[in-house]
Structure formats: C-alpha cells, structure tokens
Amino acid sequence: MEFFFATMIDLVISREWLATTNVVLACLLGIWIFRNRRLYRRSRAEQANQRDLIENLSEGIYRSSPAGRQLSANKALVKLNGYETEAELLAAAKNIGKEWYVEPRRRDQFRAILARDGFVKDFVSEIYRHKTRERIWITESARLVRDGNGRTLFYEGSVREITETVNRLKAEELLRKLSSQVPGGLVQLERNAKGTYELSYASAGFRTIFGLEPHESFSSPSRFLRMIEKADRRDFARALRASRDALEPFDMEFRAIAADGTNKWLRASAKPERVRGGVMWHGYVNDISVRKRNEMEIQKLAFFDPLTGLPNRRMFMDRMARAVGRCHDRAGCGALIFIDLDNFKTLNDTRGHDVGDEYLVQVARRLQACVREGDTVARIGGDEFVVILDIAGHDYAHTYRAAIMTANKVLAAMRGAFEIGQFNHASSASLGVVVFNGRDCQPEDVLKQADIAMYQAKAAGRNGMAVYDHLSMSPESDRYRLLNEFKAALGTDALELHYQPQMDDSGHVIGAEALCRWQHPEFGTLLPERFVPLTEQFGLIREFGNFVLATGVAQLARWQRDATTAGLRLAINVNAQALSSDDFVSNLSALLEAHGVKPGLLTLELTESIMTRDRRHIGNRMHALKALGVRLSLDDFGSGYSSLAHLKRLPFDELKIDGSFVADIESGESDRALVKSILGTARTLRLTAVAEHVENARQEAFLRAFGCDFFQGYHYSPALPEDAFAAFVQNRRQPAALTAAPRLRQSA
C-alpha cells in the first residue's frame, strides 16, 4: 500500500514536473523562435542593405559565369554599359569575351589569371560600352567562387571606369614626348594665397636647360631664382609682380647660370590665371643663347668697327646726339675732336693692307689711352677717327682747355713711331676741334664743323690742329657742303673726263687734253674751276689726281684698240703736290702696264709752280717719268716762274702757251711779241709748242706763221664726252703719215 501511495505521489510529482517542463520548454521555444525571427529579419535587413549598398556603389559589381554569361550587375555596371535596368543588360549581353573587350584575347588573359591565382586585381582593359559601342577604359578586380568539390561556380568582382585617367595619362605622355622634342621647357609656377611660390610642373626640357638630372628635384622656386644672373634677378622679380598684379602675360629675356656653370640667355613667357586664391603661370622657357650671340654679333657689326673694335659711325652719331642732349640739359658745353691720319693711303698702297690694318689697330689703342673713361673714341671712316669728350656741364673756357689738352695728347701719340712687324712707321695726324653748347646745333652740324677745322689743319701743312671758329669759319659751310658732295662723287659716274681735241697745222686730230666735269645733281655740269681749288685747299688733290690719271690711262687703252683713235695722244694735268708723292711714278708705271698703254702716248702737263719747289727733287721725279717714256709738257708757259736756265735742266718735251696771251694777240702788240718769243724759245730748246684757247682763224694763222705746232680751243671744238670725241675724230680722220708723233726734244 505504501508502495502504491509512493507511486501515486511520484506520478503526481512527475506530472507537475512535466507541466513545468513543458512550460519551460514552451517559453524557451518561444524565445528561440522570437530570437530566430529577429535574426532572420536582421539578416534579411542586412542582405537588403548589402544589396542596396552594392546597387548604389559607384563601381560596377557583377557575377558572371565562366562561359562568359552575365549573371548579375548592379546599377553602376548597368549604367557603365549604357542600359537602364539590370534585366535589360542581362538580356542583351550574351558573351562577355566577344562583346565587351576591344581586344577579344583580353578575356582569355583575365580567365587565365583567375584560374592560376583565384583572383585578379586592377586588370586594365579597353572595352566597349555595351549598348552604345563607345570605347572606354576600365580597371577590373575579381575572384573565382568554387563549391565544396572545387568546381567553379561563378566569377564575382568590380569594374571601375578609368577613361578620364587613361586619357590624362596619354595626354601627359604625349606632352612629355612633345616637350622632349622642342628646344625649351614647359613650366607651371604657382603663388598660393599665403604668398609663397611653388613650381607645380617642370618638364624634362626645363631641367635640361638648367643642367639638372632628369629626376632631380626642382620644386623650390628659390633655387630657380638663384640660377638667374644676379644683375637680372631684380628685374625678373619686378616683371613677375607686375604680371601677377595685372594678370598680364609675363615675357622676359634674362641671363642664367646652369648647374654646370654654363652662362645662358633664356626667355620666359607665361600667362597667369587666378587659382585657389592665388595665381598660377603656365609658361615656357627657351634657351636663346645662340640667338643672343648672333644678335650681339650683328650689333657688333652694326655698331662697332670690326677691325679696331671701336664704335662705328652709326654708334658715334647716337652717342653724339646724347652728348648734345646732355649739354642742352645741363646748360654746358661739349667737345669733339676729328682726327685724320696723314699719308695713310701711301702706307696702305706701298706696304699693303695688312700693314695698314695693323697701323689702324695701334692708332685705336693710342687714342683710347689719350682719353678718360666715359669719353668716346670712334672710327667713322677709313683713316678718320673722332673723340667725344664727356665734359658736359662745364663752361666754354673749361671745355676749350680740356679739348686742347686732349688734342695735344693725341698729336703727341700719333707722332711716335709705330712698330708694325719688322717695320717702323713714322706718322702724324691732322686734327679739327670744335666746342659745342648743345643749344643751337645738331650732331651732324658739329661733325661738319670738326671736319672743316680738320681740313684747315691739313691745308696748313698737316701734323697739327685747328679749332673751329664759329665766326670766321661759318662762311665755309657752302664750300664744305660742296666738298662733301665732291668726296661722295669721287670715283663715281658723277665725275667724268671730257676730251678737247688738239689739232696739227693740217687740221687733223693728233690727240686731246683730258678735262674733268662734275655732273652735280643740283648745279648741273661743274667745271674744274669750281671744285679743284677745294681739293687743293682740303687735301684731296692726290685722290682727285689719281682718279683722273687712272681714268685717262684707261681711255688711252680703249683708243688704242679702235682703229679710228689708235695713235692719239692724251694730255693730263698733274698737280705739283700730286707729283711730289713718293708713289706717283710707281703708280703710273703700274697703270700703264696694267692697261698695256704705250707710255709715249701719255703727256703730263705740269704748271710753272713746280719751279718754286725743291728743283732737285722735282727734277729727279721728272727724269723718272721720262725713263718710263712719258711725255712732259710745261703748262701755262709765260705766266709764272719759267726761265731758260730752269727749262734747260728739266726734261720737258713740250711748251703750252698760256691762253691769256693767245686771246690778246689780235689786239695787244706786247702779247704778240711775247707769243713770238715763246715760240722762238720752243724752237731753240727743240720743244713742241702747243697753243690753247684758240678761238678763231686769225689767231690760228698768226700762231702757224711763227712756228706753233699744235692748236686747241673752241675754234675747233670744246671738250667732248668720249662718244662725241670719237665721232669728231672720225669726221677729221687723217692719213696714217700725219698721225706720227710730233717733233720731240732730242736731248734733255
């Protein structure tokens, strides 16, 4: 019984436990179910969030089959391919490898990497935007997903479009290639809001210009500025500030020192723009050293004498204008010294141009040693130098004294012997000095005045100076103008020889006298009386005489080659000063030989003024001419210093009766007697007699009656140009027997 009750009690207790247990289990189950539902909801929410996140990622996310079928794609990938919905993309894309990649083999390369590594990272490819077929660039990363047995289920990964980046890189590469081929460098310089500078970009060409290694850092503008020549840094900084403030282009040429110490000329050009509260310049730097050297060489050729290195006429005129301007501004005076070397042409012709050039170089050095720093020494012509004294601000008296002192230094320097190789040259110079005030003059006027004064010094005997006197020399201005124009005409077509026929007593042409004519553009034809005195006064007679002699000998050569004029003589006037030149005989000999002219056809007419000179010297010179075979005539006989004693000692072949006597033989008994006497003297000395200025038949008859040999004057013809003279000879053509040379003196 006890067993029964115990059993019943146990049952009751078991039922209560079971109920309790059930309740507990039910509670636990409810809790588990609630928790799992919450976890489920959370999982679903997380999945939704993940899907939403994937859908809204900026990168394309996808799954694809190994065979190339697109399985899924987020919005970014759909948009990248040009579609509106995933379904539209999945329906259109059949084979990724064939439809997507520009290069079909690229898909195989992608799969090979996945099969080998299980993943691929940053795989760059050019693809088609699927719908529009636009070519774009992407970078792709993916992994391979397998099942428990290792079989490949699908690929999943991400795609990001990098077309803009690739294009930028391509542009940068193109820019790098282009910039490497141009002779300069590209640069970007930025000034930020804080006021500091930074080199944002410098091309390889920029580094090359400054001698830097390809990868050497050059980000610091201070290093760039230190490479600019110190003298140009301030101007560079000032120009950069002006460009920044006005936002105007920067353009400047400056000097720089490269890393290896090479000096260069550079040009920087850049355009500024506002950026981020500051300014950025986009520009270009070019090495212009070669151009600058060429420009400086051109400038040197344009403004400096290549032989002496002194300023030339162009630069002299510029500095002269500045000197006049300074005198005007400071109410002071300046001075100019005109220097002409005496007998330079003789040195040049006898010793050669090399010696002449070296002499000019040494002259330039001596002149520079005579002046102070700031004064200008220039070479403005062959043997013409000028000195501008930089003494503006002083009064006339002080300037005058300074100019005279400098001129004396120059004269002393020029008198010293010049050693040119093994040759010592004793020289001198003629100086013209002018003091100017800058108020009433132009640079050209000052130069003319100094030139006039120099010619005065030369006319006074050379080796000295003359100071321009504004009162006494001003009337010379017209003559100076004519002189300058004559100098320009010398040796040109403006000067020409005309030929006045010389006739024998049968009326036949036996020769001519050469007479110069100047075809002046304003005054017309000028006769020698107008310009020869200028050549004598201002020291140009030798140059003029050389021109006439060379032109006359050339004319004789042409006559010899023409049957009409062959055998004709030519008489040329020779100034005593020209005859005294040491090189006169040698120059004449060279002319005759060069043209192949028979010396006996040339007659040199000398005036009686030679009697007043060194007779022994003149006599030797005349005998040297006779040795050449040239004929000598005493011109204007009877009007000067002639005497029978002198005539006997000098080797003349001919006497030319002064025209003033011939003009008066019809009316003046004394003139007729004098002409008879001259003709008698000629017969006594066995000289040919020539009468000039014969104007009518009566004069000719009288002269012929008393033994005159030849005649010239307007009775026959005025002086004629070359062609007209040849026509005149043709009209008066004579038998060959009559063209024989006239009687010549048998002994000297």
Side-chain angles (χ1 to χ4, degrees):
M1 198 60 187
E2 293 177 0
F3 175 76
F4 175 76
F5 281 112
T7 301
M8 290 300 290
I9 291 169
D10 290 338
L11 288 172
V12 172
I13 294 171
S14 297
R15 287 189 187 119
E16 291 176 355
W17 180 83
L18 287 172
T20 302
T21 302
N22 287 332
V23 171
V24 172
L25 290 173
C27 289
L28 292 172
L29 179 60
I31 292 170
W32 181 82
I33 292 172
F34 177 76
R35 184 179 179 184
N36 276 286
R37 289 186 66 184
R38 188 172 62 183
L39 290 173
Y40 175 74
R41 290 192 191 100
R42 184 182 297 171
S43 176
R44 292 290 299 271
E46 287 179 357
Q47 289 179 1
N49 287 337
Q50 288 178 356
R51 284 196 301 271
D52 188 59
L53 176 63
I54 291 172
E55 282 294 313
N56 291 284
L57 283 174
S58 59
E59 291 189 1
I61 305 298
Y62 71 90
R63 280 184 180 176
S64 64
S65 68
R69 183 76 181 181
Q70 196 79 43
L71 301 177
S72 65
N74 70 346
K75 290 181 180 179
L77 188 61
V78 171
K79 184 178 180 181
L80 182 145
N81 281 280
Y83 293 101
E84 296 295 331
T85 64
E86 180 186 23
E88 188 180 2
L89 170 62
L90 297 180
K94 306 298 183 182
N95 189 314
I96 294 173
K98 292 181 179 180
E99 301 170 2
W100 209 34
Y101 293 95
V102 173
E103 183 182 352
R105 290 179 299 175
R106 197 66 176 159
R107 176 68 176 178
D108 296 334
Q109 296 169 358
F110 176 77
R111 292 179 62 189
I113 296 173
L114 278 174
R116 184 190 67 200
D117 301 332
F119 68 92
V120 64
K121 186 176 181 181
D122 297 328
F123 190 79
V124 177
S125 303
E126 187 179 16
I127 68 167
Y128 294 107
R129 202 181 298 279
H130 196 274
K131 185 176 182 179
T132 62
R133 309 311 290 169
E134 175 191 356
R135 293 167 69 155
I136 62 175
W137 286 87
I138 63 162
T139 177
E140 185 176 3
S141 297
R143 71 186 184 93
L144 189 151
V145 180
R146 294 185 175 93
D147 61 12
N149 297 321
R151 289 179 300 177
T152 300
L153 296 176
F154 52 81
Y155 306 147
E156 62 181 11
S158 63
V159 176
R160 178 164 53 90
E161 183 177 354
I162 58 169
T163 303
E164 184 178 346
T165 302
V166 171
N167 289 340
R168 178 175 58 80
L169 292 174
K170 283 184 175 180
E172 289 179 356
E173 177 64 14
L174 179 60
L175 176 62
R176 185 189 65 80
K177 289 181 178 179
L178 289 175
S179 63
S180 67
Q181 298 302 315
V182 295
L186 304 179
V187 64
Q188 283 183 329
L189 177 66
E190 182 178 1
R191 184 183 187 272
N192 57 33
K194 297 179 180 180
T196 58
Y197 289 88
E198 178 183 356
L199 283 174
S200 305
Y201 174 78
S203 69
F206 186 87
R207 289 180 168 82
T208 300
I209 287 175
F210 286 93
L212 302 172
E213 295 297 329
H215 303 291
E216 188 174 352
S217 174
F218 200 11
S219 60
S220 172
S222 61
R223 185 178 184 189
F224 167 70
L225 289 173
R226 286 195 301 272
M227 286 184 161
I228 298 176
E229 188 78 40
K230 187 175 181 180
D232 293 342
R233 288 178 196 169
R234 180 176 297 179
D235 291 338
F236 187 93
R238 185 184 298 115
L240 197 63
R241 284 196 300 271
S243 173
R244 177 199 69 199
D245 296 340
L247 279 185
E248 293 291 335
F250 173 88
D251 196 332
M252 182 179 178
E253 294 180 357
F254 57 94
R255 291 162 293 179
I257 304 174
D260 61 358
T262 304
N263 293 305
K264 296 183 176 183
W265 269 97
L266 305 178
R267 178 182 180 182
S269 300
K271 186 176 182 180
E273 66 170 343
R274 298 283 185 195
V275 292
R276 298 183 293 276
V279 177
M280 177 176 283
W281 287 267
H282 310 274
Y284 177 80
V285 177
N286 190 26
D287 186 343
I288 59 171
S289 300
V290 174
R291 175 171 67 81
K292 272 294 182 180
R293 283 196 297 269
N294 291 339
E295 286 180 357
M296 288 187 285
E297 187 64 28
I298 291 172
Q299 183 183 37
K300 186 176 180 181
L301 292 173
F303 295 102
F304 291 88
D305 173 45
L307 177 63
T308 63
L310 296 177
N312 63 10
R313 190 182 191 91
R314 179 181 294 180
M315 178 165 279
F316 158 73
M317 294 305 296
D318 179 70
R319 293 189 180 180
M320 190 64 209
R322 295 181 187 180
V324 171
R326 285 195 299 271
C327 292
H328 181 272
D329 295 340
R330 302 176 188 178
C333 294
L336 177 68
I337 303 174
F338 194 110
I339 303 152
D340 185 88
L341 305 178
D342 296 332
N343 302 319
F344 172 73
K345 188 176 185 303
T346 300
L347 171 69
N348 215 30
D349 292 343
T350 57
R351 295 289 181 173
H353 292 287
D354 292 343
V355 171
D357 288 349
E358 178 59 26
Y359 170 56
L360 292 174
V361 170
Q362 292 188 29
V363 167
R365 293 175 188 158
R366 292 195 186 186
L367 290 177
Q368 287 176 307
C370 293
V371 301
R372 305 166 304 170
E373 185 177 359
D375 296 339
T376 295
V377 179
R379 181 187 178 207
I380 63 171
D383 61 342
E384 295 177 338
F385 296 81
V386 287
V387 174
I388 306 172
L389 300 184
D390 186 22
I391 48 180
H394 295 283
D395 59 16
Y396 182 88
H398 181 277
T399 304
Y400 182 87
R401 288 193 298 271
I404 295 301
M405 289 177 61
T406 303
N408 281 321
K409 286 183 182 178
V410 170
L411 286 174
M414 294 299 102
R415 288 167 184 155
F418 288 81
E419 294 185 7
I420 308 173
Q422 303 298 318
F423 168 65
N424 285 342
H425 176 57
S427 180
S428 64
S430 299
L431 277 59
V433 181
V434 62
V435 178
F436 56 91
N437 57 25
R439 291 187 296 276
D440 302 318
C441 63
Q442 296 296 323
E444 297 81 2
D445 298 330
V446 178
L447 181 61
K448 289 179 180 178
Q449 292 165 1
D451 200 8
I452 289 174
M454 182 276 295
Y455 275 115
Q456 292 289 334
K458 194 175 285 289
R462 306 173 185 252
N463 192 19
M465 77 172 86
V467 181
Y468 183 83
D469 185 341
H470 293 268
L471 294 178
S472 64
M473 292 187 176
S474 56
E476 297 279 352
S477 57
D478 290 340
R479 299 182 68 200
Y480 177 82
R481 173 196 167 192
L482 198 63
L483 173 67
N484 265 357
E485 292 172 346
F486 180 78
K487 287 166 65 177
L490 194 60
T492 69
D493 293 340
L495 289 180
E496 59 184 27
L497 294 187
H498 286 198
Y499 306 95
Q500 186 169 37
Q502 291 182 340
M503 318 297 292
D504 65 7
D505 55 4
S506 300
H508 299 132
V509 181
I510 56 92
E513 179 182 1
L515 299 172
C516 189
R517 299 291 184 263
W518 178 10
Q519 305 302 329
H520 193 279
E522 181 179 351
F523 303 126
T525 303
L526 298 183
L527 301 179
E529 292 79 6
R530 183 74 181 274
F531 54 85
V532 169
L534 290 177
T535 68
E536 295 174 340
Q537 179 180 0
F538 293 109
L540 288 175
I541 190 63
R542 293 184 183 179
E543 289 83 349
F544 174 60
N546 289 338
F547 163 77
V548 172
L549 201 59
T551 307
V553 171
Q555 182 63 65
L556 262 179
R558 290 193 292 274
W559 284 352
Q560 286 185 213
R561 294 191 294 269
D562 189 329
T564 302
T565 53
L568 293 183
R569 295 202 316 259
L570 181 64
I572 297 176
N573 289 279
V574 176
N575 181 274
Q577 185 179 349
L579 182 64
S580 301
S581 176
D582 293 337
D583 60 353
F584 182 83
V585 177
S586 59
N587 287 345
L588 178 58
S589 176
L591 275 174
L592 294 170
E593 183 176 355
H595 290 282
V597 170
K598 298 176 182 178
L601 296 177
L602 177 63
T603 300
L604 301 182
E605 295 188 357
L606 309 176
T607 62
E608 289 185 286
S609 61
I610 64 168
M611 302 294 186
T612 64
R613 294 178 174 265
D614 184 343
R615 297 187 181 93
R616 182 175 181 180
H617 174 71
I618 291 296
N620 291 337
R621 187 61 45 81
M622 293 176 66
H623 282 291
L625 290 171
K626 286 300 298 177
L628 290 180
V630 174
R631 300 181 70 249
L632 299 178
S633 172
L634 182 58
D635 196 14
D636 297 333
F637 183 77
S639 63
Y641 311 92
S642 302
S643 71
L644 290 176
H646 294 154
L647 287 176
K648 288 176 62 178
R649 287 194 292 268
L650 295 177
F652 283 107
D653 301 282
E654 178 179 284
L655 290 182
K656 199 166 190 181
I657 305 171
D658 186 78
S660 61
F661 302 140
V662 175
D664 294 332
I665 58 176
E666 294 180 81
S667 58
E669 183 63 34
S670 59
D671 289 320
R672 286 196 292 272
L674 184 56
V675 170
K676 291 178 185 178
S677 176
I678 292 173
L679 293 173
T681 300
R683 285 195 300 273
T684 300
L685 298 177
R686 298 183 180 181
L687 301 178
T688 301
V690 180
E692 61 182 353
H693 296 180
V694 178
E695 298 182 357
N696 55 56
R698 292 184 299 277
Q699 293 172 348
E700 177 188 12
F702 178 86
L703 292 166
R704 184 183 296 112
F706 289 96
C708 188
D709 299 294
F710 303 117
F711 313 88
Q712 114 184 36
Y714 275 78
H715 178 56
Y716 312 101
S717 171
L720 301 171
E722 178 181 356
D723 293 342
F725 176 79
F728 180 86
V729 173
Q730 179 67 34
N731 291 336
R732 299 239 180 174
R733 194 166 184 178
Q734 55 193 349
L738 294 176
T739 64
R743 301 187 308 272
L744 300 181
R745 182 176 179 176
Q746 300 301 314
S747 60

